[in-house]
Amino acid sequence: MEKKSNVKQFTDRLEKLDFSKMYEGDFFLTWEKSQDEIAAVFEVADALRHLRENNISTKIFDSGLGISLFRDNSTRTRFSFASACNLLGLEVQDLDEGKSQIAHGETVRETANMISFMADVIGIRDDMYIGKGNTYMHSVVDAVTEGNKAGVLEQKPTLVNLQCDIDHPTQCMADMLHIIHEFGGVENLKGKKIAMTWAYSPSYGKPLSVPQGVIGLMTRFGMDVSLAYPEGYEVMEDVVKVAEKNAAENGGSFTVTNDMAEAFKDADIVYPKSWAPFKAMEERTELYGKGDFDGIKALEKRLLAQNAEHKNWTCSEELMKTTKDGKALYLHCLPADITGVSCEAGEVDATVFDRYRDPLYKEASFKPYIIAAMIFLAKVKDPVKKLQELEETAKVRQNG
Amino acid sequence: MEKKSNVKQFTDRLEKLDFSKMYEGDFFLTWEKSQDEIAAVFEVADALRHLRENNISTKIFDSGLGISLFRDNSTRTRFSFASACNLLGLEVQDLDEGKSQIAHGETVRETANMISFMADVIGIRDDMYIGKGNTYMHSVVDAVTEGNKAGVLEQKPTLVNLQCDIDHPTQCMADMLHIIHEFGGVENLKGKKIAMTWAYSPSYGKPLSVPQGVIGLMTRFGMDVSLAYPEGYEVMEDVVKVAEKNAAENGGSFTVTNDMAEAFKDADIVYPKSWAPFKAMEERTELYGKGDFDGIKALEKRLLAQNAEHKNWTCSEELMKTTKDGKALYLHCLPADITGVSCEAGEVDATVFDRYRDPLYKEASFKPYIIAAMIFLAKVKDPVKKLQELEETAKVRQNG
Amino acid sequence: MEKKSNVKQFTDRLEKLDFSKMYEGDFFLTWEKSQDEIAAVFEVADALRHLRENNISTKIFDSGLGISLFRDNSTRTRFSFASACNLLGLEVQDLDEGKSQIAHGETVRETANMISFMADVIGIRDDMYIGKGNTYMHSVVDAVTEGNKAGVLEQKPTLVNLQCDIDHPTQCMADMLHIIHEFGGVENLKGKKIAMTWAYSPSYGKPLSVPQGVIGLMTRFGMDVSLAYPEGYEVMEDVVKVAEKNAAENGGSFTVTNDMAEAFKDADIVYPKSWAPFKAMEERTELYGKGDFDGIKALEKRLLAQNAEHKNWTCSEELMKTTKDGKALYLHCLPADITGVSCEAGEVDATVFDRYRDPLYKEASFKPYIIAAMIFLAKVKDPVKKLQELEETAKVRQNG
């Protein structure tokens, strides 16, 4: 393969941003990061992809481990994390303890240290229980910070939140980078309308981290963000406040409606996706805490019945026609529940989904680069210089 | 370790072969490849082994992933694939979805893309259902080809068939390379007799890919290939036709017999191994399709009973005596069912197996190099030049 | 990160030791190694850690596999082995066969070869059955030695005992290196008292490899080693003899007592930990051999009852006060059974454990370096020269 690259287009923009605090930091929630820091992640992700596509190695680690800790099965996120680590030169080691095996408190402190002797990065996905996932991630970071100070660990590994109960930053930033590319730049997003809407699914209990992550992030770019769901499907109140504040500060708007059609009307972007009511997820967490499995069963039954009342909340061809020029960009974190394909009635019509297959896969393809950019910014002291160096050295990745 | 190597012995032969179409290609079935292409795989495998044994690094990837997708448990194949990837510089990521989880059609398309963002190679083993495994592999290749065209994947990963319902190319080519080495060169094989025979095993439903792969490949070297099995244990008709055509074109012969003794008589090479009747495997696939588990149970019972009628089909010392000078080369893909060791009555006498232990392990040892050669030829534009370069640079593998 | 290193402090001492026989060797039991060989492992471990902490790469392998074979679940040991392999440039491949799947005898010989085509190292943990684990490791080494001679394997991989029924060398050497650091050098250990004592745990059947490994190793440094346990909790007689011989030869003492207080009195170091009686473990192995599961259940019940008679064997604050200046160094291989935290009554008071948390984690942090040092000494012909080379070349590990 030929080598040609021009990483300058990214480093020129990167040089104007202040992201110095990301060095040796962690990535928990997008709204804990400044506008510049968010922009820096996008630039570095694009730069790394550019280098990769020009067959230039982006290995900044000669050796080292990326630890993945998933408390859920996950093919997509696992492969995205593994890809990001490999891109930078880290080997992945999965910690596959059962959901119950890793207790909290002191055990977290111990396990976090025991797996981190050679860890440069820890990626955690823990989205199942309200009030637990993000807290757990902080416990891990506290433990390895202390371990580093005490001389146990020769460095503090960087945490990447691969999905928690509050936010799904790697997903939503991949979604956002996809939008930026589709619309030809972040400067073109002002005044664009995005509809983040609930959609019917025959399964229940889908995590809230995607809708919350979307309203917490997309309100920062001057867009009109419309969150729509049937009554009773409220998301976490704290994140709604974040979205309101973001919109106020960044010149867009944030509205909540119980009408899917209203949200879709003239939308430039639509993101119809099922989730469970926040209150119900809180209830489930409490029931699990008590070990009340009969209660959990009853809750599941109730949630499925509640979902079934809203089968009309689906991304149909009819609804798509009401979007901007009938051609809104359709987003989904995948896998989607496709009517007549993966289920009888689901989140989206098969013809709609099919028409957007390539953009959907492209949307997903940004995730490994987003994760790699988060690691890069936490581990590299001078990212601009390092990206320039990588291009100049131009070490061939696939030497065929 | 000292460094000395002479890769010229392989590149001299390689230069005379036309294998240009293998670049950016895939490896499904041996009979889809030309004589030159098959020969090229052997030469590259030998060259890579030669370099490795002289402690010269053969890493052509600075980073990148080799994805393994096994729909069966497999220690041997898994380690062979992992070894091949490591030899070339790729990190392995296993996709261990349950047999049922990866559905076909659109889901394949999606999953194939989701796991391939950084994939240079995908190795698939899917041998359980007639008409499904090879088809599935093609779906994966179609999906990633499309993904690459749509800009989702920055490259199309290469597929290596690690065993399908039709062929087992990495096994049979390792078997063949072993034969070539044992007989001192492919030029010495003309007129040699090889007996691929059924043998009794107390288990049932063993895949047909080995006997099919053997008759599809071994008929290309001017050998007399004798396929023997008890009536009712027919293999896939299409592959029989391939074998007949091969023999006609390459100056050897292909015969089918229901007499094990006839096949063994004066054989230079014997490959006694159990398999299930093709028709029964077709039936099983249909039963699985219908979810008819009672039907499957009944079929299993019938197959075990049918097997038990042919306990005399075993590679005994007596039969071995009837081979060429009583010293035919004994082959097996391992693990074998050894009489009195792993079962009461099985495919081979313990004393026969024991005498061939070293050659059997050597036979197996070619597999990682065969897989690596397939990847090498698909990923390296000028394999001759690259092999010369690797020798000249002589980067030390184990720097002790 | 800045680069500064002075590996000379380690190589100067290393140069005076004779460890030439470790090259191309294996690591089974500490007492099979000479004093110089044990010292060499410590020096190399310290040197590798020193280089790592100065961000200097210690990769001596350009490619290659480290095979881990665990017949037990193990997070800690698995991550330690993976870390050690990564530190040296090897990729880990786990062989996760169920406990029953890897039979002994010929199957071991076959499997050992099949997984070793690209293996530089094999790490095995097999501690469950008396008389089996260490024997199994020897079978594996015999198999790969033979495989290498027969031309199947291009090299003989090095075995590292990650815990067997007799010894736990990587744990005990990590413990010992921790002691050496805490006491400011091996020369300060003469006359120090270490108490290896049994402690109550509500679980049963904990392996004997730690107490055995400790008395087999710690008696080699001129220390007074006191082994304490309730009557009936005897360890393997052969190891007791090793400890007695060591003490006689190295100017310390080895005593056995049934009084925990006596062992703790004036101790400089305490290692209170539960284990099962050797005789009971022998019995269990026989019961498993016979498949007598009722017998196993009865044995478990008996052992739990027996344990419960000795709940007063716990590392309490009171007992700690009786140690040297009330400040003995508390050791544990982790995880510990902590009273009021992980169980109602256990091996140690929560306040004691908490006070020693940092040193305990540091103790554990030596294990990856000990494993790496064992591999280094088996794979590198001239370790002194290689360490100097690594420092001089000073290849940056984390290139940020």
Side-chain angles (χ1 to χ4, degrees):
Chain A
M1 295 187 193
E2 64 188 301
K3 279 172 284 169
K4 67 177 152 78
S5 164
N6 184 4
V7 92
K8 201 170 176 298
Q9 54 187 305
F10 310 107
T11 51
D12 277 356
R13 285 195 291 262
L14 205 51
E15 267 175 336
K16 291 172 196 142
L17 303 170
D18 176 12
F19 49 85
S20 53
K21 281 181 196 149
M22 298 184 88
Y23 182 57
E24 298 192 338
D26 303 287
F27 210 109
F28 292 101
L29 306 172
T30 63
W31 47 91
E32 293 168 349
K33 302 292 175 191
S34 72
Q35 294 290 100
D36 274 15
E37 288 169 347
I38 293 292
V41 173
F42 292 142
E43 292 301 336
V44 172
D46 275 345
L48 291 174
R49 185 165 194 153
H50 178 81
L51 292 169
R52 171 85 179 194
E53 288 179 353
N54 284 283
N55 201 26
I56 294 177
S57 171
T58 52
K59 272 177 78 168
I60 55 167
F61 296 96
D62 154 86
S63 54
L65 297 179
I67 310 295
S68 82
L69 209 160
F70 287 176
R71 307 183 77 177
D72 247 321
N73 285 325
S74 165
T75 296
R76 284 144 216 280
T77 305
R78 195 162 71 80
F79 271 80
S80 287
F81 183 69
S83 296
C85 286
N86 183 269
L87 189 71
L88 300 178
L90 297 173
E91 190 185 343
V92 172
Q93 278 293 319
D94 298 317
L95 179 61
D96 281 323
E97 304 210 38
K99 285 165 202 169
S100 59
Q101 262 188 300
I102 305 174
H104 287 254
E106 292 312 321
T107 312
V108 172
R109 196 165 152 196
E110 194 167 305
T111 304
N113 275 279
M114 295 303 117
I115 62 176
S116 296
F117 298 132
M118 306 282 162
D120 290 282
V121 183
I122 302 178
I124 302 184
R125 175 175 165 178
D126 185 350
D127 62 328
M128 295 182 61
Y129 304 117
I130 297 297
K132 307 288 185 193
N134 195 263
T135 305
Y136 172 70
M137 290 178 195
H138 274 281
S139 306
V140 169
V141 168
D142 291 348
V144 294
T145 302
E146 217 173 319
N148 177 233
K149 273 184 204 152
V152 172
L153 307 179
E154 54 104 356
Q155 64 169 323
K156 184 202 77 71
T158 290
L159 179 120
V160 177
N161 173 357
L162 297 173
Q163 188 169 4
C164 72
D165 53 322
I166 304 174
D167 192 8
H168 194 341
T170 62
Q171 178 65 48
C172 298
M173 289 192 72
D175 298 338
M176 190 64 212
L177 189 51
H178 177 57
I179 293 173
I180 293 171
H181 279 264
E182 290 290 318
F183 284 80
V186 74
E187 59 278 12
N188 301 327
L189 298 181
K190 211 157 279 289
K192 293 285 181 296
K193 180 178 178 185
I194 174 167
M196 174 77 238
T197 84
W198 190 86
Y200 170 73
S201 157
S203 80
Y204 75 95
K206 297 215 174 188
L208 290 140
S209 52
V210 168
Q212 290 173 175
V214 164
I215 62 167
L217 179 66
M218 307 314 190
T219 43
R220 300 177 75 166
F221 303 91
M223 294 197 283
D224 296 319
V225 179
S226 175
L227 176 67
Y229 50 79
E231 232 172 302
Y233 284 82
E234 281 71 24
V235 301
M236 197 179 187
E237 187 52 35
D238 286 353
V239 186
V240 169
K241 281 180 195 150
V242 166
E244 286 166 352
K245 186 166 169 286
N246 281 344
E249 286 176 8
N250 294 290
S253 68
F254 173 66
T255 50
V256 180
T257 168
N258 294 135
D259 183 349
M260 192 178 187
E262 187 188 317
F264 263 60
K265 177 114 188 66
D266 294 325
D268 297 276
I269 305 157
V270 295
Y271 204 141
K273 202 214 154 290
S274 189
W275 68 78
F278 180 73
K279 297 266 184 242
M281 289 300 95
E282 268 193 324
E283 203 180 325
R284 189 172 67 155
T285 300
E286 278 164 38
L287 292 167
Y288 266 106
K290 290 187 224 157
D292 179 356
F293 294 102
D294 285 342
I296 291 165
K297 265 193 193 158
L299 176 65
E300 290 179 5
K301 214 175 153 183
R302 206 182 77 208
L303 286 172
L304 282 172
Q306 187 181 352
N307 275 9
E309 286 168 28
H310 307 291
K311 287 200 181 175
N312 56 330
W313 282 70
T314 187
C315 183
S316 62
E317 288 288 7
E318 289 65 40
L319 263 184
M320 282 303 287
K321 278 184 196 135
T322 69
T323 65
K324 186 67 169 292
D325 304 328
K327 287 183 177 169
L329 180 65
Y330 167 79
L331 301 184
H332 200 283
C333 56
L334 303 178
D337 287 321
I338 308 165
T339 301
V341 177
S342 46
C343 53
E344 214 178 304
E347 298 169 311
V348 60
D349 277 9
T351 52
V352 173
F353 189 85
D354 256 358
R355 199 160 61 247
Y356 287 91
R357 199 173 282 277
D358 282 343
L360 280 167
Y361 294 175
K362 196 146 195 188
E363 181 187 354
S365 75
F366 288 106
K367 206 195 269 184
Y369 295 103
I370 289 287
I371 298 172
M374 289 171 177
I375 300 171
F376 196 92
L377 286 161
K379 289 297 182 181
V380 176
K381 195 154 195 178
D382 189 343
V384 168
K385 197 176 140 208
K386 178 57 64 188
L387 287 169
Q388 288 164 345
E389 245 179 64
L390 289 170
E391 184 181 44
E392 278 155 32
T393 318
K395 206 184 160 202
V396 173
R397 183 192 75 82
Q398 193 239 289
N399 195 3
Chain B
M1 296 188 193
E2 64 188 303
K3 278 173 283 168
K4 69 178 152 73
S5 164
N6 184 4
V7 91
K8 200 169 178 297
Q9 54 187 306
F10 310 107
T11 52
D12 277 356
R13 285 195 293 261
L14 205 51
E15 267 176 335
K16 291 174 195 140
L17 302 170
D18 177 11
F19 49 85
S20 52
K21 280 181 196 148
M22 298 183 88
Y23 182 58
E24 298 192 337
D26 303 286
F27 209 109
F28 292 101
L29 307 172
T30 62
W31 47 91
E32 293 168 349
K33 301 292 176 191
S34 71
Q35 294 291 100
D36 274 16
E37 288 168 346
I38 294 291
V41 173
F42 292 142
E43 293 301 336
V44 172
D46 274 344
L48 291 174
R49 185 166 195 153
H50 178 81
L51 290 169
R52 170 87 180 191
E53 289 179 352
N54 285 282
N55 200 27
I56 294 177
S57 171
T58 52
K59 272 177 79 167
I60 54 167
F61 297 96
D62 154 86
S63 54
L65 297 180
I67 311 294
S68 82
L69 209 160
F70 286 176
R71 306 183 77 175
D72 246 320
N73 286 325
S74 165
T75 297
R76 285 144 215 278
T77 305
R78 194 161 73 81
F79 272 79
S80 287
F81 182 68
S83 296
C85 285
N86 182 269
L87 189 71
L88 301 177
L90 297 173
E91 189 185 343
V92 171
Q93 279 292 318
D94 297 317
L95 179 62
D96 281 323
E97 304 210 39
K99 284 165 203 171
S100 58
Q101 263 188 300
I102 305 175
H104 286 253
E106 292 312 321
T107 311
V108 173
R109 197 166 150 194
E110 196 167 303
T111 304
N113 275 279
M114 296 302 118
I115 62 176
S116 296
F117 298 133
M118 306 281 162
D120 290 281
V121 183
I122 303 179
I124 303 183
R125 176 174 165 179
D126 185 349
D127 62 330
M128 296 182 60
Y129 304 117
I130 297 297
K132 306 288 184 193
N134 195 263
T135 304
Y136 172 70
M137 291 178 196
H138 274 281
S139 306
V140 169
V141 168
D142 292 348
V144 293
T145 302
E146 216 174 318
N148 177 233
K149 273 184 204 151
V152 173
L153 307 179
E154 54 104 356
Q155 65 168 322
K156 184 202 77 68
T158 291
L159 179 119
V160 176
N161 173 358
L162 298 173
Q163 188 168 5
C164 72
D165 52 322
I166 304 173
D167 193 8
H168 195 340
T170 62
Q171 177 66 48
C172 298
M173 290 192 71
D175 298 338
M176 190 62 211
L177 189 50
H178 177 57
I179 293 173
I180 292 171
H181 278 264
E182 290 290 319
F183 284 80
V186 74
E187 61 277 13
N188 300 328
L189 298 181
K190 212 157 277 288
K192 292 286 181 294
K193 180 178 178 184
I194 173 167
M196 175 76 238
T197 83
W198 191 86
Y200 170 73
S201 156
S203 79
Y204 75 95
K206 298 216 173 186
L208 290 139
S209 53
V210 168
Q212 290 172 174
V214 165
I215 63 168
L217 178 66
M218 306 314 190
T219 44
R220 301 176 76 166
F221 302 91
M223 294 197 282
D224 296 319
V225 179
S226 175
L227 176 67
Y229 50 79
E231 232 172 301
Y233 284 82
E234 282 71 24
V235 301
M236 197 179 186
E237 188 51 35
D238 286 355
V239 186
V240 169
K241 281 180 196 148
V242 166
E244 286 166 351
K245 186 165 169 286
N246 280 345
E249 287 176 7
N250 294 291
S253 68
F254 173 66
T255 50
V256 179
T257 168
N258 294 134
D259 183 349
M260 192 178 187
E262 188 187 316
F264 263 59
K265 177 113 188 64
D266 293 324
D268 298 277
I269 306 157
V270 294
Y271 204 141
K273 203 215 154 290
S274 190
W275 68 77
F278 180 73
K279 296 267 184 243
M281 289 299 95
E282 268 193 325
E283 203 180 325
R284 188 172 67 155
T285 300
E286 279 163 39
L287 292 167
Y288 267 106
K290 289 186 224 157
D292 179 356
F293 293 103
D294 286 342
I296 290 164
K297 266 194 194 157
L299 176 65
E300 290 179 5
K301 212 173 153 182
R302 207 182 77 209
L303 286 172
L304 283 172
Q306 187 181 354
N307 275 9
E309 284 168 30
H310 306 291
K311 287 201 181 175
N312 56 329
W313 283 71
T314 187
C315 182
S316 62
E317 287 288 6
E318 288 66 42
L319 263 183
M320 282 303 286
K321 278 185 196 133
T322 70
T323 67
K324 187 67 168 294
D325 304 327
K327 289 183 177 168
L329 180 64
Y330 168 79
L331 300 184
H332 200 283
C333 55
L334 302 178
D337 288 319
I338 309 165
T339 301
V341 177
S342 46
C343 55
E344 213 179 306
E347 297 169 311
V348 59
D349 278 7
T351 52
V352 173
F353 189 85
D354 257 358
R355 199 159 63 243
Y356 288 91
R357 200 173 282 275
D358 283 341
L360 281 167
Y361 293 175
K362 196 144 195 189
E363 180 187 354
S365 76
F366 288 106
K367 206 195 268 184
Y369 294 103
I370 289 286
I371 298 172
M374 289 173 178
I375 300 171
F376 196 94
L377 286 160
K379 289 296 182 182
V380 176
K381 195 153 196 179
D382 189 342
V384 167
K385 197 175 140 210
K386 178 57 64 189
L387 287 169
Q388 288 164 345
E389 244 179 64
L390 289 171
E391 183 181 44
E392 278 155 32
T393 317
K395 206 182 160 204
V396 174
R397 182 192 75 82
Q398 193 239 290
N399 195 3
Chain C
M1 297 189 194
E2 64 187 303
K3 278 172 282 167
K4 69 182 151 75
S5 164
N6 183 4
V7 92
K8 201 170 176 295
Q9 54 187 306
F10 310 107
T11 52
D12 277 356
R13 286 196 291 262
L14 206 51
E15 266 176 336
K16 291 176 195 139
L17 303 170
D18 177 11
F19 49 84
S20 53
K21 279 181 196 149
M22 297 184 89
Y23 183 57
E24 299 192 337
D26 303 287
F27 209 109
F28 291 101
L29 307 172
T30 62
W31 47 89
E32 292 168 349
K33 301 293 176 191
S34 71
Q35 294 290 100
D36 273 16
E37 288 168 347
I38 294 291
V41 173
F42 292 141
E43 293 301 337
V44 172
D46 274 344
L48 292 173
R49 186 166 195 152
H50 178 81
L51 291 169
R52 170 88 179 191
E53 287 178 353
N54 284 283
N55 201 27
I56 294 177
S57 169
T58 52
K59 271 178 77 167
I60 55 167
F61 296 95
D62 154 86
S63 54
L65 297 179
I67 311 294
S68 82
L69 209 160
F70 287 176
R71 308 182 77 175
D72 248 319
N73 287 325
S74 165
T75 296
R76 283 144 216 279
T77 305
R78 196 160 72 78
F79 272 80
S80 288
F81 183 69
S83 296
C85 284
N86 182 269
L87 189 72
L88 300 177
L90 297 173
E91 190 185 344
V92 171
Q93 279 293 317
D94 297 317
L95 180 61
D96 281 323
E97 304 211 38
K99 284 164 202 173
S100 58
Q101 263 188 301
I102 305 175
H104 286 253
E106 293 312 323
T107 312
V108 173
R109 196 166 150 194
E110 196 168 302
T111 304
N113 274 279
M114 296 302 117
I115 62 176
S116 297
F117 298 134
M118 306 282 162
D120 290 281
V121 183
I122 302 177
I124 303 183
R125 176 174 164 178
D126 185 350
D127 61 330
M128 296 182 60
Y129 304 117
I130 296 298
K132 306 289 185 193
N134 194 264
T135 304
Y136 172 70
M137 291 178 195
H138 274 281
S139 306
V140 169
V141 168
D142 291 349
V144 294
T145 303
E146 216 173 319
N148 176 233
K149 272 184 205 151
V152 172
L153 307 179
E154 53 104 355
Q155 65 169 323
K156 185 203 77 71
T158 291
L159 179 120
V160 176
N161 173 359
L162 298 172
Q163 187 169 4
C164 73
D165 52 323
I166 305 174
D167 192 8
H168 195 341
T170 62
Q171 178 64 48
C172 298
M173 289 193 71
D175 300 337
M176 191 62 213
L177 189 50
H178 176 57
I179 293 173
I180 291 171
H181 279 264
E182 291 290 319
F183 285 80
V186 74
E187 61 277 12
N188 300 327
L189 299 181
K190 212 157 280 288
K192 293 284 182 294
K193 180 178 177 186
I194 174 167
M196 174 77 237
T197 83
W198 191 86
Y200 171 72
S201 156
S203 80
Y204 75 96
K206 297 216 173 186
L208 291 139
S209 51
V210 168
Q212 290 171 173
V214 165
I215 63 167
L217 178 66
M218 306 315 190
T219 44
R220 300 177 76 166
F221 303 90
M223 294 197 283
D224 295 319
V225 178
S226 175
L227 176 67
Y229 49 79
E231 232 172 301
Y233 285 81
E234 281 71 24
V235 301
M236 197 180 186
E237 187 51 34
D238 285 354
V239 186
V240 170
K241 280 181 197 149
V242 166
E244 286 166 351
K245 187 165 168 286
N246 281 345
E249 285 176 9
N250 294 291
S253 68
F254 173 65
T255 50
V256 179
T257 168
N258 294 134
D259 183 349
M260 192 178 186
E262 186 187 318
F264 263 60
K265 177 113 188 65
D266 293 325
D268 297 276
I269 306 157
V270 295
Y271 204 140
K273 203 215 155 288
S274 189
W275 68 78
F278 180 72
K279 297 268 183 242
M281 289 299 95
E282 267 192 326
E283 203 180 325
R284 188 172 68 156
T285 300
E286 278 163 39
L287 291 168
Y288 266 106
K290 288 187 227 159
D292 179 357
F293 294 102
D294 286 342
I296 291 164
K297 265 193 193 156
L299 176 65
E300 290 179 6
K301 213 174 153 182
R302 207 182 76 209
L303 286 172
L304 282 172
Q306 188 181 351
N307 275 9
E309 286 168 29
H310 306 290
K311 286 200 180 174
N312 56 330
W313 282 70
T314 189
C315 182
S316 62
E317 288 288 6
E318 289 65 40
L319 262 184
M320 282 303 287
K321 278 183 197 137
T322 70
T323 65
K324 186 67 166 295
D325 304 326
K327 288 183 176 169
L329 180 65
Y330 168 78
L331 301 183
H332 200 285
C333 55
L334 303 178
D337 288 320
I338 308 165
T339 301
V341 176
S342 46
C343 54
E344 213 179 305
E347 297 169 312
V348 60
D349 278 8
T351 52
V352 173
F353 189 85
D354 256 357
R355 199 160 60 245
Y356 288 91
R357 200 174 282 277
D358 283 342
L360 280 167
Y361 293 176
K362 196 144 196 191
E363 179 187 355
S365 76
F366 289 106
K367 206 195 267 185
Y369 295 103
I370 288 287
I371 298 172
M374 288 172 178
I375 300 171
F376 197 93
L377 286 160
K379 288 298 183 182
V380 175
K381 197 155 194 179
D382 188 342
V384 167
K385 197 175 140 208
K386 177 57 64 190
L387 287 169
Q388 288 164 344
E389 245 179 64
L390 289 171
E391 183 182 43
E392 278 155 31
T393 317
K395 205 182 162 204
V396 173
R397 183 193 75 82
Q398 193 238 289
N399 195 5

